[in-house]
Structures are given as structure tokens and as C-alpha cells.
Amino acid sequence: MKLNSTHIHSYFKPSRCQRRVYLMEHPPASMTGAESDYYAHAEEVDYHVERYYYKRLNNPLDLSKTTPEKIEKVSLKAFKRRIPVIYKAAITYEWLHKNQRITLEANPDFTLWEPEGYVLRYCRMAKKVTRDNHGDIFWIAQFHAWVFYQKMGIWPIRLEVGNATGRILELPLPEEGVVEKFLGDVMQWRQSESLPYHPVSWTKCQSCLFKDYCWQIAESVNDIALVPNLEAKLILSLRKAGVMTVAALPQTFDIQTLSNFTFPTGQVDQPVGKTKAESMLQMANAMLSGKPLLKKDPRLPETPYWMMFDLEAVPARPGQPEKVYLWGMHLKGQHDENLQLISTTLNRQADRDNWFAFLERCHTVFNTYGEMPFVHWGSFEAYCLKLYLKRFGDRHGVAQRIERNLLDLFQVLKNTTVIPLPSYSLKVIEKYVGFERSDQDTGGYWSVVNYLKSVNTKNVARRDEIMTQLLTYNASDLEAMWQVLCWFEDLIQDFKST
């Protein structure tokens, strides 16, 4: 049996889950050979970071195309010769664990020779890397360092991660016994005799290739984990107390008793609290009835015009700041007009030109139709406006005017309405209100990866094709927000009339 970084990665990404490690080893019959878009897209984005560092190293020995049969022999020979920079070296170690022989495979991105010894370096599209926020790369580095020691008889002198901003971060070397214990846990999850329990979560499970499979299991038993926004430790504590289903929650608790219920958080147990208890019981009752509930009287602006507002951006990369490549706008209400803007390149001048073109369009809209809400979903649009105001400045005070008119529909719904859904994600609510996309297999990650493909291709026809797909995806987001807003207005009127 083999154990490599893929097994470790599958535990941590998209989110920590022992059940996924088991399912990767024992996939459901209908999913044999299944591949997650998440892993493919993540690998492609990390590759761009890898190439950034590759180009800045002096004449690396590139082993990335060496055949599996030869790569370890070539790698060991390169180590003995103290080659200064090795790209994609690979070594193995036969580990005896509970009378089972396991082949451990280590393949750091870069192996760098210094006078004191070798440095192992990894590359990731991340800004900060710790045991908690990027456990995958932390434990992969620990694993590789331990395998390197077992194989070579010496520890690497340092572990490094080249991050998305071009900085080299240092990780600690393994403490005694921790790697063996972690690898033992991974093997236990892989070889479990039955499917381990793990709470489902719409946000954490969204990009997992086993999401539908696990979700169907949860729905078949009306699992308490279907109540959204519950911490995994709270779910496990409720199950331990006998609350296994959504129906059991209001049957077992009222607001006071649920407020006092405690669950572990870090070193201490803490009570659920009144606010969270009230929200949990409201959601459970809405799920059982199948009907939405207004908690408060929402105050939406009275206006003949609404601007749907949705941005797409490339995250910060080594040598490149975060950049908006698609300024998505669609004017709705008494006038209907698509006002999208997309950039065909990522250079600073194009970034600046697109920003001011966006402001000019908004200036024209304000002059023609007056003040109106800029409806967006979540905090990203507000963040980008502040980012670009600082980067390039304002014109005619338009950006500040947009900021004053921002309306976060996600927060409005979350604060005022209980909807019997697992998530307040736009793609979940839009289906609930009856909106259907023509582009089902797209998403924010898909958009970024394909935009990077479009700006890097020399094939003009292919670039134009991708740009059209990106605009279509963004237009679907804008139309979905409008449909949700219309549904919400109708819901408010229904509640007022009754």
C-alpha cells in the first residue's frame, strides 16, 4: 500500500474530513474514477505560483517529466551530487506500521542545496500558511521532511513555502513522533471497516466530489447537521445528547434550555447562547414546515431603478496585486440595460483604464436615472471599491456615491428572513425562487482559472470564446440576484397582507 501527499491533501481540502479519506479509498460504485473540479482548478492555480518561483531560480534540474520508474534513482543521484536546485524530485521509504508495510512517497516542489544541507520548498496560492489555516501544505511539508530524514539519514535544514505574494515563508521541522501519529490517523481513516460519520456542511462540502453522496445520506435520515451554520463540534455534542435529527431539536429544547447547552470550543466548553439558540430553532421549524419566515420587517428602498452589481477578480499572485477583470452591472426596473466591462489583459494600464471606464458608466447612469441601490451579494464588492479607490483614486466622486448606495442582499436576507435551505449562497437561493442557469458547471473558481487561460493564450478565437463564457456566467449571477430580489419583494408583500 502507498501513502503520499494526495492522501493528506484529501483530508484537508476542500475542508477537513475523515470521511473523504475513506471514500477516496472506497468510492461509491457510481463514482469510481470521479474527479473534482476543485482539485483540478486548485492544481492549475498553484502551478502558476510554481512557475513564478521556477523562473527565478538558477538553472533548476527539472525532473517533472522523468518516468516513475527512473525518478527516484535520478533524484538520489542528484542529492549526492548536491545539485543546487532540483524541481520535482521524488523519494520513497518503506514504513512498517502495525505489521503492515507502507510505501511513503515524497515529492517536494523544489529541493535547494545550501552549504548546511537541503531545503524543501513548496508553492501555494496562499498568503499565510499555518497548521490551522493551510493544514494541507503544513502536514505535507512535515511528512516529506520526515521521509527525507528516514531515507537520507539527515533532516532538511529548513522547510519553506513560496506564497501568492512572492514571499518565502518558513515552516517548522517536525517534532518527535507527530508525523508517525498523523500518518497512523490517515491510515486508520483509509482502512476503516465502515463509513465514518462526519457532519455535512453546505459551505465546507461545496467543492467536494462526494458532496451529493454525503448529502443524500444526511437527507435520508434528516440529520441534525442539515441545520445550517452549526459548528461540527456542536453537531457532535447534540448527537451525543441524543439529538440526531432536525425534528428532534425543537422536540428536545426550547430557547432557554438550548441557550444553556454547552459544547467544546478549544480548551473550554461554551454555551450556545440565546441568539444562536433562537436562530437554530427558527431554522429547524422552517425546515420542518418548508416555508420561509420573516424575522423582521425588511426596509427595502422605494425606487424605480436597481443596479445589479457583481465583480470577478484574480487573487493576488507573486508580483501581482489582486485585480478585478470583470465589472458586472445590469440596470433593472423601469429600464433594462447590460453594462458589463471585461479586461482582456492584466497589465496595470488596462486595470486603471477599466476602473475609470466603470466609473464613467456609473456616472452616466447616475446623471440619467438618479440615485439607485447597487445590489450585490456579500462583502466582496465593497472591498473592491475601497481597494480601487486607494489604488487609482475617484473621478467626479462616483465611487463614493456607489459606496453610499451599496445594498448587500445577502446580509438583508440573512438578518431578516429564515429560508428553509442549507445555505444563503446565491446559487442555492436562486434555485429555491425558480431561477435556472444555462451554465450549471461554472463558479467563481472556474471563472478565475478560465480568465487566466484566456489572457495567456495566443489563440484569439479561443480567447474570445472564453471571454464570452465569462460574461455569460457573470450575467447569470446578475440575473439571479434580480430574481431573488423580486421574490423577496413579493414575500414582504405576502407577509404584510396576512
Side-chain angles (χ1 to χ4, degrees):
M1 176 171 278
K2 295 180 180 180
L3 195 158
N4 54 43
S5 57
T6 300
H7 300 107
I8 297 173
H9 189 76
S10 69
Y11 167 63
F12 286 100
K13 296 294 181 179
S15 61
R16 299 184 188 216
C17 181
Q18 299 99 316
R19 176 182 279 185
R20 184 170 50 250
V21 178
Y22 172 87
L23 289 172
M24 294 290 281
E25 196 73 19
H26 312 278
S30 59
M31 298 185 64
T32 303
E35 186 173 327
S36 171
D37 286 342
Y38 170 85
Y39 292 117
H41 290 163
E43 187 175 333
E44 187 157 358
V45 170
D46 286 340
Y47 177 73
H48 284 283
V49 182
E50 226 172 75
R51 298 310 295 177
Y52 169 86
Y53 288 101
Y54 184 96
K55 292 173 183 177
R56 283 156 179 77
L57 291 168
N58 186 25
N59 194 27
L61 173 63
D62 190 341
L63 302 183
S64 60
K65 294 182 172 59
T66 308
T67 62
E69 297 78 18
K70 294 181 180 179
I71 190 164
E72 182 170 25
K73 184 178 180 180
V74 175
S75 299
L76 291 171
K77 185 180 292 186
F79 291 153
K80 289 177 181 177
R81 291 169 53 202
R82 297 180 177 177
I83 299 295
V85 183
I86 309 170
Y87 178 58
K88 297 296 185 184
I91 55 174
T92 63
Y93 171 67
E94 296 297 318
W95 181 45
L96 190 62
H97 173 68
K98 294 184 177 180
N99 297 320
Q100 184 178 16
R101 193 168 294 278
I102 302 163
T103 302
L104 306 180
E105 300 176 334
N107 54 336
D109 294 334
F110 294 98
T111 313
L112 314 173
W113 172 257
E114 293 184 2
E116 299 83 10
Y118 269 112
V119 176
L120 306 186
R121 180 184 294 179
Y122 305 84
C123 304
R124 287 296 182 274
M125 180 61 82
K127 293 181 181 179
K128 185 179 179 182
V129 178
T130 67
R131 183 194 299 253
D132 295 324
N133 73 346
H134 279 284
D136 59 321
I137 188 57
F138 177 89
W139 280 106
I140 287 170
Q142 299 273 298
F143 165 56
H144 287 177
W146 187 77
V147 173
F148 189 92
Y149 171 73
Q150 300 298 326
K151 186 76 173 186
M152 307 298 294
I154 56 170
W155 288 100
I157 60 170
R158 202 164 60 251
L159 300 176
E160 296 179 343
V161 179
N163 76 353
T165 63
R167 291 180 58 213
I168 303 296
L169 310 176
E170 188 170 340
L171 297 178
L173 289 168
E175 297 175 8
E176 186 176 354
V178 296
V179 173
E180 299 97 306
K181 182 183 182 307
F182 177 70
L183 296 181
D185 290 342
V186 173
M187 291 306 303
Q188 181 180 336
W189 301 329
R190 289 177 69 190
Q191 298 180 316
S192 174
E193 293 182 0
S194 59
L195 181 69
Y197 177 79
H198 193 89
V200 294
S201 161
W202 190 265
T203 303
K204 292 182 177 180
C205 298
Q206 187 59 32
S207 301
C208 180
L209 68 164
F210 300 110
K211 182 196 76 174
D212 292 341
Y213 174 78
C214 294
W215 210 263
Q216 287 169 8
I217 294 174
E219 287 180 331
S220 70
V221 296
N222 199 24
D223 193 330
I224 182 61
L226 293 173
V227 177
N229 303 318
L230 302 189
E231 299 89 336
K233 289 182 178 178
L234 173 54
I235 293 168
L236 294 174
S237 295
L238 287 169
R239 288 174 63 87
K240 190 174 180 180
V243 181
M244 313 289 282
T245 66
V246 176
L249 188 65
Q251 291 170 359
T252 308
F253 295 105
D254 57 23
I255 291 177
Q256 187 60 49
T257 54
L258 184 55
S259 298
N260 295 332
F261 184 81
T262 60
F263 65 101
T265 57
Q267 301 297 320
V268 297
D269 287 0
Q270 75 168 30
V272 170
K274 184 178 179 181
T275 301
K276 190 176 185 70
E278 189 174 34
S279 175
M280 288 168 62
L281 289 170
Q282 285 175 338
M283 178 57 78
N285 286 319
M287 292 173 72
L288 293 169
S289 70
K291 296 178 181 179
L293 168 70
L294 279 181
K295 297 186 288 185
K296 300 177 184 177
D297 183 14
R299 303 281 177 161
L300 287 178
E302 294 184 8
T303 173
Y305 303 106
W306 302 82
M307 182 68 78
M308 301 300 111
F309 186 39
D310 182 62
L311 307 181
E312 310 290 343
V314 175
R317 298 175 296 153
Q320 293 284 344
E322 189 166 24
K323 291 183 180 178
V324 174
Y325 59 86
L326 204 167
W327 299 85
M329 296 185 292
H330 199 127
L331 181 59
K332 292 286 190 178
Q334 293 183 6
H335 181 74
D336 191 299
E337 185 177 358
N338 188 327
L339 297 166
Q340 291 171 297
L341 275 168
I342 192 167
S343 178
T344 57
T345 181
L346 280 173
N347 65 48
R348 182 175 173 83
Q349 186 60 47
D351 193 32
R352 184 181 186 279
D353 291 346
N354 235 30
W355 164 244
F356 285 116
F358 160 72
L359 293 182
E360 193 58 40
R361 288 197 179 183
C362 293
H363 189 227
T364 301
V365 166
F366 282 133
N367 286 343
T368 306
Y369 303 105
E371 302 294 316
M372 68 183 68
F374 273 61
V375 182
H376 59 104
W377 200 275
S379 60
F380 185 64
E381 283 67 27
Y383 161 77
C384 286
L385 285 173
K386 292 186 185 301
L387 180 70
Y388 274 76
L389 265 170
K390 185 176 180 180
R391 185 177 296 172
F392 296 125
D394 204 348
R395 184 173 287 174
H396 311 302
V398 174
Q400 292 180 338
R401 199 171 175 183
I402 296 169
E403 284 187 313
R404 291 194 298 271
N405 283 281
L406 287 177
L407 177 65
D408 186 346
L409 186 54
F410 167 75
Q411 282 298 336
V412 171
L413 288 170
K414 191 175 178 182
N415 293 336
T416 64
T417 314
V418 180
I419 308 175
L421 295 171
S423 165
Y424 278 56
S425 158
L426 178 60
K427 286 183 173 60
V428 176
I429 296 182
E430 69 187 34
K431 291 180 181 178
Y432 182 74
V433 306
F435 177 72
E436 292 188 13
R437 290 175 179 259
S438 58
D439 49 349
Q440 294 291 339
D441 297 327
T442 55
Y445 217 53
W446 169 91
S447 180
V448 171
V449 169
N450 279 278
Y451 180 74
L452 291 173
K453 287 180 180 178
S454 74
V455 297
N456 288 321
T457 184
K458 296 179 181 179
N459 186 324
V460 176
R462 177 59 181 150
R463 184 195 66 198
D464 292 346
E465 179 187 4
I466 295 174
M467 292 289 177
T468 300
Q469 291 172 349
L470 296 172
L471 287 166
T472 300
Y473 161 70
N474 181 255
S476 293
D477 276 352
L478 297 168
E479 183 61 29
M481 275 194 291
W482 173 244
Q483 295 293 333
V484 172
L485 178 63
C486 292
W487 168 84
F488 188 45
E489 287 186 306
D490 290 343
L491 180 69
I492 294 170
Q493 292 304 316
D494 288 345
F495 269 82
K496 284 181 178 180
S497 65
T498 57

